[in-house]
Amino acid sequence: MTRTRVGIVGLGRLGREYAINLHSRIERVELVAACSINPEELEFAESDLAIPVFSDLDIMLQKVEMDALFVISSTSMHAGQIIKGLQAGLHVFSEKPLAITVEECRKVEEIAKQHPDQIAVVGFVRRFDQSYQYAKRKIDQGAIGKPFLIRSQTVDKDTIADWQIKYVLQSGGIFHDFNVHDIDLARWFLASEIETVWSIGDAYKYPAFAEVGDADNVMSTCRLANGTMAVINAGRTATHGHDTFTEIVGTEGSILIGRPAQKHLVEIYDKHGSRREWIEVFWDRFSDAFLTMTKDFIECIQAGKKPELTLNDATQVTRVAIAFTESFQQGKLIHLD
Amino acid sequence: MTRTRVGIVGLGRLGREYAINLHSRIERVELVAACSINPEELEFAESDLAIPVFSDLDIMLQKVEMDALFVISSTSMHAGQIIKGLQAGLHVFSEKPLAITVEECRKVEEIAKQHPDQIAVVGFVRRFDQSYQYAKRKIDQGAIGKPFLIRSQTVDKDTIADWQIKYVLQSGGIFHDFNVHDIDLARWFLASEIETVWSIGDAYKYPAFAEVGDADNVMSTCRLANGTMAVINAGRTATHGHDTFTEIVGTEGSILIGRPAQKHLVEIYDKHGSRREWIEVFWDRFSDAFLTMTKDFIECIQAGKKPELTLNDATQVTRVAIAFTESFQQGKLIHLD
Amino acid sequence: MTRTRVGIVGLGRLGREYAINLHSRIERVELVAACSINPEELEFAESDLAIPVFSDLDIMLQKVEMDALFVISSTSMHAGQIIKGLQAGLHVFSEKPLAITVEECRKVEEIAKQHPDQIAVVGFVRRFDQSYQYAKRKIDQGAIGKPFLIRSQTVDKDTIADWQIKYVLQSGGIFHDFNVHDIDLARWFLASEIETVWSIGDAYKYPAFAEVGDADNVMSTCRLANGTMAVINAGRTATHGHDTFTEIVGTEGSILIGRPAQKHLVEIYDKHGSRREWIEVFWDRFSDAFLTMTKDFIECIQAGKKPELTLNDATQVTRVAIAFTESFQQGKLIHLD
Amino acid sequence: MTRTRVGIVGLGRLGREYAINLHSRIERVELVAACSINPEELEFAESDLAIPVFSDLDIMLQKVEMDALFVISSTSMHAGQIIKGLQAGLHVFSEKPLAITVEECRKVEEIAKQHPDQIAVVGFVRRFDQSYQYAKRKIDQGAIGKPFLIRSQTVDKDTIADWQIKYVLQSGGIFHDFNVHDIDLARWFLASEIETVWSIGDAYKYPAFAEVGDADNVMSTCRLANGTMAVINAGRTATHGHDTFTEIVGTEGSILIGRPAQKHLVEIYDKHGSRREWIEVFWDRFSDAFLTMTKDFIECIQAGKKPELTLNDATQVTRVAIAFTESFQQGKLIHLD
């Protein structure tokens, strides 16, 4: 069987993991080229993956024959690079978010429409996590009746905050960077669009985030079109570890996903009581889901299937993240059209 | 030592428990009279407690010598009966809420000011629960740094909903009936007043609540004066049991109180997995706290101490519950003055 | 209704709690006298309980009219004092164990037979704990099928070890002092007598226990007459807190009682992970059960009922504790007749 | 870099998983041939793995050039096939147990000594599980002081019992089939050899096991040479799922590995309480560990390293499993030399 040839643009913390997955952990895929503006990243690709590297995406797309492009660059580059990939005739997978303005999202959607035979998708990785999938199946089977409330949070361990402050501006802020997953999950589990939102928060521990107009902890309450509710938190200050969880409450029960996010199946009994040490970063929690998501994209290409997630999902998510940000900045309810 | 003589008005589900506590479980207290408009309740007081009973509070206050009055009647009676007790020269303990209008709250406060040597207090029972007290001590000792977020909910098992629908109107609705505890806890743990609120919800399982303008599940988001955040839920539809919990998140850690509210210290392993059966009603969870709270009130009288809780706490809580209700009904942010 | 008049002998750590229960927490009981050889203990009884005190049990029994005697003295005194109480015409409740020799047990049983209208019982407190009772009801209802294995342990926090070393010899050692509860539970839950045992262990942390022929951690495996199995541990070295648990395994499920024995319903999330702080001493875990057990004894007297527990239960338990001790000392299997 | 060429003998339930791991999930390995006496298994290898298949191991070893042999056949075949592999000049990995007689174990050890440059190892998979490794590191760092007690069990869900009864005789019975892992862990964590054992048990749910001299639940207590203790259970009757756990107790704390073995990170709240559904079979729990173990063996070959586990470890484990079996059959303590 033929192998799908893929290129990747962006080899940062996460891009590197995608590259390794594509290079070694998925059958019938060949990682054929990598692009980055960072010399260290290119060096990694050359030495560890032994593939041709480029500092200019256009040149890579011209020179290397491939079937698909992975866009794992920084947020502000996503939309433009997806478009380049599509226009080069490639299937495109992009890390979240699609963009931080609706205009850019719409533009990508338009271009994608002009390339109906190419897959273009933004990866919301939690949908591919086994625990989330298991919960979704249970809920679809009626295990909790009709879901009407979702509580979902993305909270990082405080040790990463210093690193995050450097990327706040280009990432679009805490709502775009953290909560796009939770927004997508609210839409997925509650089967409706978010209509009205109120976001509050502050820099309670690290004033540096307030200085650039961002926050270290925020909370967004949402009313969806079908009358259901969501409350979505993000945080940068947890001391126990990465603490991403989602609770879906229905008329006949509820399901809590992701807690405790303990390091392995180990409970310790000592002078601190009985305790579970937690994972430190999201990768410890979701590395399997990233692999599953990447495989799913490749399978869609090879089987000629449409992915469940569409570009419009990504646009809707960005619209909500923008509404969160506006509500947070302006201190008022925001109604999405 | 002299015993404190107390009378009680209201012997419903909860009043009966107060009466038994006062009659048998607290030293140096004598329950000397009971008042109710319900013949069955009076029969209980006569036969089980062997005390004089009255169907008219004024007459009880005239005829029986006592030091304190317990007001455990229905919500709409609280304010008037507290005032009668105060004017009869008694210390007064009232079940929550103080009233469901600010006018009534203010009126009780005014009358209480005219009786500065009498204690008048509304019982927010969770402050007297061992778990909440333990958490408060920990937090006061700095265990979680500076608290900036509280998640708190009061959720009943669905089996009580049929009974509740009959009392919705006189109780002031789900925000007054369920969330006054959570409102009080938010103020207590975050050490500030609630300034802006948004409440949403619906009757997702029992349409009967919507028909009278109430809901079976609601969520209220709050911004406090000091910039901290609270999200407060109430529900009538849980299938696993009474599920009241509070999570306080701070800059250096967080504390979760009340989960799992399992029936005793028992875990079962069977075809449903590993599981903990839950308590069914709030009394199973808080009966000790009710006793502690009642003892504390008596001790304040006997020691001439002021209770930590003031009538104004109760007024503030009612103001917020009113704001929740208005926000829910009008679909907009409410700013408290 | 008439009150049951009770005297108590022994006012140490536990005796004091019994005295307070009898004095203040149970209706229709009057604590009328106390006996101790320790002047401090007598001072407590005089000042706090305002009852007549004696340093000689015989004199107390002669001088004070009473209906029942509570024997909460040190282990070596139990048998003799129970006999004195019985011979004085009293109902007698004794703390565990009945005695540490079978001869003494048998002698008490004989004397008790001569007083068939008096209740004589040794209190195995765990049978009166709500969690154990809940588990027993579940099991009797068939929730786990036929029970065939019990794992049960009594483990103290290490901070008590220094205090314990002083009482090792008079308490009969770790098997008599700790495991009589677990032995009783094995008999109760598995509905059979223990036939063959093997006990091992050592002083792994505190050599002082080995020096007097005892241990700080032991494990006893048992085969019961009906072919079922029990493994029973005792320990003095836990750093997380008092850790007493029992797991009953049946053909259709299992039930775990007592874990986690957390301090209140509180979970802490901090740099140690997510954790539950534990109770420190058995009293924190079983104080309610002690009260329930004492009430049950009083109710049996007042209602003319026979308690579920018999003196022979206590004798059987002592026989097994002796077998554990012999097996531990001799390093071999012990078969009880 | 050169690839290690491996053959496999045995393609049953577990052999198939090994084959897939070797075929697709490990770099620098080539699965070059498979041997089985079962036509269906061979068909799988031909169609799914596209490799040459053999029904005679001798012929496979003659015809196919390879570096290593994986022995995943039934227990009674292990020793003989390991020897064949060694004599053919191959490194050999075998599933547990090495054999069910000491004679066979010794014979394999002797042959292996004649081939000192070839690796021969029996895979005790739990040592390669992340949770066990994490616990081992913690313990090696002193997290629980000196370990003195291990509780370890291997318990299968009852749905597998019907299948198991067919293989009882050839597997050597429940001690060889289930507890070799726990025996190995006791030796690993307590750093000593098991000296004295007592095993009891019965067929409590499925009499068919008793009819062939086996049991459906057994418990073995062990005293080790350094005075520490182990209690090891096996069971075939759990209704909640596969329940394999290990608790290591030390002088300064303890560590519990493997509980709850929930299906994914999901907690369900419904009419059964709050609950976690469990995994069903050991593969759900240990599939990652099998892959890690297989990779480790390959890495040892490629790096010329000696594995941590030796054939003598496997011999010691078999000796203890034999002692368990004898103790169970004869009803007495067994002292190993």
Side-chain angles (χ1 to χ4, degrees):
Chain A
M1 251 192 159
T2 57
R3 293 182 146 202
T4 301
R5 298 157 303 174
V6 303
I8 188 167
V9 53
L11 289 170
R13 195 173 48 145
L14 197 52
R16 192 172 298 224
E17 298 290 352
Y18 272 99
I20 294 169
N21 277 346
L22 289 164
H23 182 263
S24 323
R25 299 192 185 118
I26 304 176
E27 293 185 79
R28 296 166 44 206
V29 166
E30 193 172 359
L31 181 61
V32 295
C35 176
S36 169
I37 50 173
N38 180 326
E40 276 178 34
E41 293 178 13
L42 294 179
E43 202 179 300
F44 156 78
E46 275 192 307
S47 65
D48 285 42
L49 309 177
I51 53 173
V53 300
F54 300 84
S55 57
D56 183 317
L57 177 58
D58 293 316
I59 296 174
M60 181 173 93
L61 294 176
Q62 274 172 17
K63 295 233 171 141
V64 186
E65 257 190 82
M66 58 181 80
D67 307 299
L69 178 67
F70 276 72
V71 176
I72 322 292
S73 50
S74 56
T75 293
S76 57
M77 312 297 286
H78 291 177
Q81 294 176 339
I82 297 169
I83 289 171
K84 285 188 180 182
L86 287 169
Q87 289 175 336
L90 305 181
H91 303 289
V92 183
F93 174 97
S94 172
E95 247 302 301
K96 60 86 192 168
L98 176 47
I100 61 173
T101 69
V102 176
E103 294 67 35
E104 279 183 293
C105 291
R106 298 279 191 228
K107 191 166 169 202
V108 178
E109 283 198 73
E110 270 169 49
I111 304 290
K113 265 182 211 146
Q114 298 163 14
H115 299 267
D117 297 337
Q118 293 161 239
I119 296 170
V121 72
V122 175
F124 292 105
V125 68
R126 281 189 219 159
R127 290 206 190 192
F128 297 89
D129 173 67
Q130 286 192 310
S131 300
Y132 280 91
Q133 293 193 333
Y134 180 66
K136 187 65 162 62
R137 280 197 306 275
K138 285 259 159 203
I139 291 170
D140 289 348
Q141 290 161 9
I144 63 167
K146 178 184 150 38
F148 61 81
L149 166 65
I150 187 169
R151 284 189 262 248
S152 192
Q153 77 168 32
T154 303
V155 169
D156 270 343
K157 190 158 162 50
D158 56 356
T159 43
I160 313 174
D162 272 353
W163 180 86
Q164 288 175 335
I165 183 69
K166 292 184 276 183
Y167 299 90
V168 162
L169 293 177
Q170 72 194 68
S171 74
I174 193 165
F175 298 105
H176 284 283
D177 202 24
F178 283 58
N179 284 145
V180 288
H181 294 296
D182 306 290
I183 294 167
D184 178 58
L185 293 173
R187 299 171 62 251
W188 196 41
F189 282 114
L190 297 176
S192 186
E193 293 297 336
I194 290 169
E195 269 193 354
T196 310
V197 309
W198 186 38
S199 296
I200 54 180
D202 210 334
Y204 300 99
K205 185 168 178 173
Y206 301 117
F209 290 95
E211 284 162 22
V212 294
D214 204 54
D216 61 20
N217 278 276
V218 290
M219 176 165 68
S220 303
T221 317
C222 311
R223 186 169 167 84
L224 283 82
N226 63 356
T228 59
M229 309 180 281
V231 59
I232 288 173
N233 287 75
R236 307 179 187 275
T237 61
T239 55
H240 57 295
H242 179 76
D243 186 358
T244 283
F245 73 82
T246 301
E247 185 169 10
I248 306 111
V249 184
T251 51
E252 302 300 330
S254 57
I255 288 185
L256 172 63
I257 307 161
R259 265 196 168 181
Q262 74 204 69
K263 253 181 203 150
H264 316 302
L265 267 178
V266 171
E267 186 162 23
I268 302 170
Y269 299 74
D270 62 13
K271 64 185 175 183
H272 304 297
S274 57
R275 64 193 179 91
R276 296 178 184 271
E277 295 185 333
W278 281 51
I279 56 167
E280 310 231 336
V281 295
F282 76 97
W283 185 256
D284 298 335
R285 173 70 181 81
F286 293 110
S287 58
D288 281 352
F290 276 99
L291 184 57
T292 303
M293 175 170 67
T294 307
K295 282 181 178 170
D296 181 81
F297 175 71
I298 299 296
E299 280 166 26
C300 284
I301 293 173
Q302 295 178 346
K305 282 191 304 180
K306 288 278 167 204
E308 187 189 302
L309 277 161
T310 67
L311 274 186
N312 189 251
D313 282 314
T315 301
Q316 295 304 328
V317 167
T318 291
R319 288 180 69 225
V320 177
I322 291 168
F324 283 7
T325 309
E326 281 180 20
S327 176
F328 170 71
Q329 289 169 345
Q330 302 170 16
K332 61 181 193 187
L333 282 190
I334 300 289
H335 301 277
L336 288 95
D337 317 320
Chain B
M1 251 192 160
T2 56
R3 293 182 145 200
T4 300
R5 298 158 305 176
V6 304
I8 189 167
V9 54
L11 290 170
R13 194 173 51 145
L14 197 51
R16 192 172 296 223
E17 297 290 353
Y18 272 99
I20 294 168
N21 277 346
L22 289 164
H23 181 263
S24 323
R25 297 191 187 119
I26 305 176
E27 293 184 79
R28 294 166 47 205
V29 165
E30 193 173 358
L31 181 62
V32 295
C35 176
S36 169
I37 51 173
N38 180 327
E40 277 178 34
E41 293 179 13
L42 293 179
E43 203 180 300
F44 156 77
E46 274 191 308
S47 66
D48 285 42
L49 309 177
I51 53 173
V53 301
F54 299 85
S55 57
D56 183 318
L57 176 59
D58 294 318
I59 295 175
M60 182 174 93
L61 294 176
Q62 273 173 17
K63 294 235 170 137
V64 185
E65 259 190 80
M66 59 179 79
D67 306 301
L69 178 68
F70 276 72
V71 176
I72 321 293
S73 50
S74 57
T75 293
S76 57
M77 313 296 287
H78 290 177
Q81 294 176 339
I82 297 169
I83 289 171
K84 285 187 180 184
L86 287 169
Q87 288 175 336
L90 306 181
H91 303 289
V92 183
F93 174 97
S94 173
E95 246 303 299
K96 59 87 193 165
L98 175 46
I100 61 172
T101 69
V102 175
E103 294 67 35
E104 278 185 294
C105 291
R106 298 278 192 229
K107 191 166 169 201
V108 177
E109 282 199 73
E110 270 170 45
I111 303 290
K113 265 183 208 145
Q114 298 164 15
H115 300 266
D117 297 336
Q118 293 160 240
I119 295 169
V121 71
V122 175
F124 291 107
V125 68
R126 281 187 220 161
R127 290 206 192 192
F128 297 89
D129 173 67
Q130 286 192 311
S131 300
Y132 280 91
Q133 293 193 334
Y134 179 67
K136 187 64 161 63
R137 280 197 305 277
K138 285 259 158 204
I139 290 171
D140 289 348
Q141 290 160 9
I144 63 167
K146 177 183 151 38
F148 61 81
L149 167 64
I150 187 169
R151 283 189 263 248
S152 192
Q153 77 169 33
T154 303
V155 169
D156 270 343
K157 190 159 161 49
D158 57 355
T159 43
I160 314 174
D162 272 354
W163 180 86
Q164 288 175 338
I165 183 69
K166 291 184 277 183
Y167 298 91
V168 162
L169 292 177
Q170 71 194 69
S171 74
I174 193 165
F175 299 104
H176 285 283
D177 202 24
F178 283 59
N179 283 145
V180 289
H181 294 296
D182 308 289
I183 294 167
D184 178 58
L185 293 173
R187 299 171 62 251
W188 195 41
F189 281 114
L190 297 176
S192 185
E193 294 297 337
I194 289 169
E195 269 193 352
T196 309
V197 309
W198 187 39
S199 296
I200 54 179
D202 210 333
Y204 301 99
K205 185 168 178 174
Y206 302 117
F209 290 96
E211 285 161 21
V212 295
D214 204 54
D216 61 20
N217 279 276
V218 290
M219 176 166 68
S220 303
T221 316
C222 311
R223 186 170 168 83
L224 283 83
N226 63 357
T228 58
M229 310 180 279
V231 59
I232 289 174
N233 287 75
R236 309 179 186 274
T237 60
T239 55
H240 57 295
H242 178 77
D243 186 358
T244 284
F245 73 82
T246 301
E247 184 169 9
I248 305 110
V249 184
T251 50
E252 302 300 330
S254 58
I255 287 185
L256 172 63
I257 307 162
R259 264 198 169 179
Q262 72 205 70
K263 253 182 202 149
H264 315 304
L265 267 178
V266 170
E267 187 161 23
I268 302 170
Y269 298 75
D270 61 14
K271 64 185 173 182
H272 305 296
S274 57
R275 63 192 180 94
R276 297 177 183 271
E277 295 185 333
W278 280 51
I279 57 167
E280 310 230 336
V281 294
F282 77 97
W283 185 256
D284 299 336
R285 174 69 182 81
F286 292 110
S287 58
D288 281 352
F290 276 99
L291 183 58
T292 303
M293 176 171 67
T294 307
K295 283 180 179 171
D296 182 79
F297 175 70
I298 300 296
E299 281 168 24
C300 283
I301 293 174
Q302 294 178 346
K305 281 190 306 181
K306 288 277 168 207
E308 188 189 300
L309 277 162
T310 67
L311 274 186
N312 190 251
D313 282 315
T315 301
Q316 295 306 328
V317 167
T318 291
R319 288 180 69 226
V320 176
I322 292 167
F324 282 7
T325 309
E326 282 179 20
S327 176
F328 170 70
Q329 290 169 344
Q330 301 170 15
K332 61 181 194 188
L333 281 190
I334 300 289
H335 302 277
L336 288 94
D337 316 320
Chain C
M1 250 191 161
T2 56
R3 293 182 146 201
T4 300
R5 297 158 303 175
V6 304
I8 189 168
V9 53
L11 290 170
R13 195 172 49 145
L14 197 51
R16 193 171 297 223
E17 298 289 353
Y18 272 99
I20 293 169
N21 277 347
L22 290 164
H23 182 261
S24 322
R25 298 193 186 118
I26 304 175
E27 293 185 80
R28 294 167 47 205
V29 165
E30 193 172 358
L31 182 61
V32 294
C35 176
S36 170
I37 51 172
N38 179 327
E40 277 178 34
E41 293 179 13
L42 293 179
E43 203 180 299
F44 155 78
E46 275 192 307
S47 65
D48 285 42
L49 308 177
I51 53 173
V53 301
F54 300 84
S55 57
D56 183 317
L57 177 59
D58 294 317
I59 295 175
M60 181 173 93
L61 295 176
Q62 273 173 16
K63 294 235 171 139
V64 187
E65 259 190 80
M66 59 180 81
D67 307 301
L69 177 68
F70 276 71
V71 175
I72 321 293
S73 50
S74 56
T75 292
S76 58
M77 313 296 286
H78 290 178
Q81 295 177 337
I82 296 169
I83 289 171
K84 285 187 180 184
L86 287 169
Q87 289 176 335
L90 306 181
H91 303 289
V92 183
F93 174 97
S94 172
E95 247 303 300
K96 59 87 193 166
L98 175 48
I100 60 173
T101 68
V102 176
E103 294 67 35
E104 279 184 294
C105 291
R106 298 278 192 228
K107 192 168 169 199
V108 178
E109 283 199 73
E110 271 169 45
I111 303 289
K113 264 182 209 146
Q114 299 164 13
H115 300 266
D117 297 336
Q118 293 160 239
I119 296 169
V121 71
V122 174
F124 291 106
V125 68
R126 280 187 220 161
R127 290 206 191 192
F128 296 89
D129 173 68
Q130 286 193 309
S131 301
Y132 281 90
Q133 293 193 334
Y134 180 66
K136 188 63 163 60
R137 281 197 305 276
K138 285 260 158 203
I139 291 170
D140 288 349
Q141 290 161 8
I144 62 167
K146 177 184 151 37
F148 61 81
L149 166 64
I150 188 169
R151 283 189 263 248
S152 192
Q153 76 169 32
T154 303
V155 169
D156 271 342
K157 191 160 161 48
D158 57 356
T159 44
I160 314 173
D162 272 353
W163 181 86
Q164 287 175 338
I165 183 70
K166 291 184 278 184
Y167 298 90
V168 162
L169 293 177
Q170 71 194 70
S171 73
I174 193 165
F175 299 104
H176 285 283
D177 202 24
F178 284 58
N179 283 145
V180 288
H181 294 296
D182 307 289
I183 294 167
D184 178 58
L185 292 172
R187 298 171 63 250
W188 196 39
F189 282 113
L190 297 176
S192 185
E193 295 296 338
I194 290 169
E195 270 192 353
T196 310
V197 309
W198 186 39
S199 297
I200 54 179
D202 209 333
Y204 299 99
K205 184 169 179 174
Y206 302 117
F209 290 96
E211 285 162 21
V212 295
D214 205 55
D216 61 21
N217 279 276
V218 290
M219 177 165 67
S220 301
T221 315
C222 310
R223 185 170 168 84
L224 283 81
N226 63 356
T228 60
M229 311 179 279
V231 60
I232 289 174
N233 287 76
R236 309 178 186 274
T237 61
T239 56
H240 57 295
H242 179 77
D243 186 357
T244 283
F245 73 83
T246 301
E247 185 168 10
I248 305 110
V249 184
T251 50
E252 302 300 329
S254 57
I255 288 185
L256 173 63
I257 307 162
R259 264 196 168 180
Q262 73 204 71
K263 253 182 203 150
H264 315 303
L265 267 178
V266 170
E267 187 161 23
I268 301 170
Y269 299 74
D270 62 13
K271 64 186 174 182
H272 305 298
S274 57
R275 64 192 179 93
R276 298 176 183 271
E277 295 184 334
W278 280 51
I279 57 168
E280 310 231 336
V281 295
F282 76 97
W283 185 255
D284 299 336
R285 174 70 183 81
F286 292 110
S287 59
D288 281 352
F290 276 99
L291 184 58
T292 303
M293 175 171 67
T294 306
K295 282 180 179 171
D296 181 80
F297 175 70
I298 300 296
E299 280 167 25
C300 284
I301 293 174
Q302 294 179 346
K305 282 190 304 181
K306 288 278 169 207
E308 187 189 302
L309 277 162
T310 67
L311 274 186
N312 190 252
D313 282 314
T315 301
Q316 296 304 329
V317 167
T318 291
R319 288 180 68 226
V320 176
I322 291 168
F324 283 7
T325 309
E326 282 180 19
S327 176
F328 170 70
Q329 289 168 346
Q330 301 170 16
K332 61 182 193 188
L333 281 190
I334 300 289
H335 302 277
L336 287 93
D337 317 320
Chain D
M1 251 190 160
T2 56
R3 293 180 145 204
T4 300
R5 296 157 304 173
V6 304
I8 189 168
V9 54
L11 290 170
R13 196 173 47 145
L14 197 52
R16 192 172 297 222
E17 298 289 353
Y18 272 99
I20 294 169
N21 278 345
L22 289 164
H23 181 263
S24 323
R25 298 191 187 119
I26 304 176
E27 293 185 79
R28 295 166 46 207
V29 166
E30 193 172 0
L31 182 60
V32 295
C35 175
S36 169
I37 51 174
N38 180 327
E40 276 178 35
E41 292 179 14
L42 293 179
E43 202 180 301
F44 155 78
E46 275 192 307
S47 66
D48 285 42
L49 308 178
I51 52 174
V53 301
F54 299 84
S55 57
D56 183 317
L57 177 58
D58 293 317
I59 295 174
M60 181 174 92
L61 293 176
Q62 274 172 17
K63 294 233 172 142
V64 187
E65 258 190 82
M66 58 180 80
D67 307 299
L69 177 68
F70 277 71
V71 175
I72 322 294
S73 50
S74 56
T75 292
S76 58
M77 312 296 287
H78 290 177
Q81 294 176 338
I82 296 168
I83 289 171
K84 286 187 179 182
L86 286 169
Q87 288 175 336
L90 306 180
H91 303 288
V92 183
F93 173 97
S94 172
E95 247 302 301
K96 59 88 194 166
L98 175 46
I100 61 173
T101 69
V102 175
E103 294 67 36
E104 278 184 295
C105 292
R106 299 278 192 229
K107 191 166 171 201
V108 178
E109 283 199 73
E110 269 169 47
I111 304 290
K113 263 183 211 146
Q114 299 164 12
H115 300 266
D117 298 336
Q118 291 160 241
I119 296 170
V121 71
V122 175
F124 291 106
V125 68
R126 282 189 218 160
R127 291 206 190 192
F128 296 90
D129 173 66
Q130 285 192 312
S131 301
Y132 280 90
Q133 292 193 333
Y134 179 66
K136 187 64 163 61
R137 281 196 305 275
K138 286 260 159 204
I139 291 170
D140 288 348
Q141 290 160 9
I144 63 167
K146 178 184 151 39
F148 62 81
L149 166 64
I150 188 169
R151 284 190 262 247
S152 192
Q153 77 169 31
T154 302
V155 169
D156 270 343
K157 190 158 163 50
D158 56 356
T159 44
I160 313 173
D162 271 356
W163 181 86
Q164 288 174 337
I165 183 69
K166 292 183 277 183
Y167 298 91
V168 162
L169 293 178
Q170 71 194 68
S171 73
I174 194 165
F175 299 104
H176 284 283
D177 201 24
F178 283 59
N179 283 146
V180 287
H181 295 295
D182 307 289
I183 293 167
D184 177 58
L185 293 173
R187 299 172 62 252
W188 196 39
F189 282 114
L190 297 176
S192 185
E193 294 298 336
I194 291 168
E195 271 193 351
T196 309
V197 310
W198 187 39
S199 298
I200 54 179
D202 209 334
Y204 300 99
K205 184 168 179 173
Y206 301 116
F209 290 95
E211 286 162 20
V212 294
D214 204 53
D216 61 21
N217 278 276
V218 291
M219 177 165 66
S220 302
T221 316
C222 310
R223 185 170 168 85
L224 283 81
N226 64 356
T228 60
M229 309 180 281
V231 59
I232 289 174
N233 287 76
R236 308 179 186 274
T237 61
T239 56
H240 57 295
H242 179 76
D243 186 357
T244 283
F245 74 81
T246 301
E247 185 170 8
I248 306 111
V249 185
T251 50
E252 302 301 329
S254 56
I255 287 185
L256 173 63
I257 307 162
R259 266 197 167 180
Q262 73 204 68
K263 253 182 203 151
H264 316 303
L265 268 178
V266 170
E267 187 161 23
I268 302 170
Y269 299 74
D270 61 13
K271 64 185 175 183
H272 305 297
S274 57
R275 63 192 179 93
R276 297 176 183 272
E277 295 184 334
W278 280 51
I279 56 167
E280 311 232 336
V281 294
F282 77 96
W283 185 255
D284 299 335
R285 173 69 182 82
F286 292 109
S287 60
D288 281 352
F290 275 99
L291 183 57
T292 303
M293 175 170 68
T294 307
K295 282 181 179 171
D296 181 81
F297 175 70
I298 299 296
E299 280 167 26
C300 283
I301 293 174
Q302 294 179 345
K305 282 191 305 181
K306 287 277 167 205
E308 187 189 302
L309 277 162
T310 67
L311 274 186
N312 189 252
D313 282 314
T315 302
Q316 296 304 327
V317 167
T318 292
R319 288 181 67 225
V320 176
I322 292 168
F324 283 6
T325 309
E326 282 179 18
S327 177
F328 169 71
Q329 289 168 345
Q330 302 171 15
K332 60 180 194 188
L333 282 190
I334 300 289
H335 302 277
L336 288 93
D337 316 319

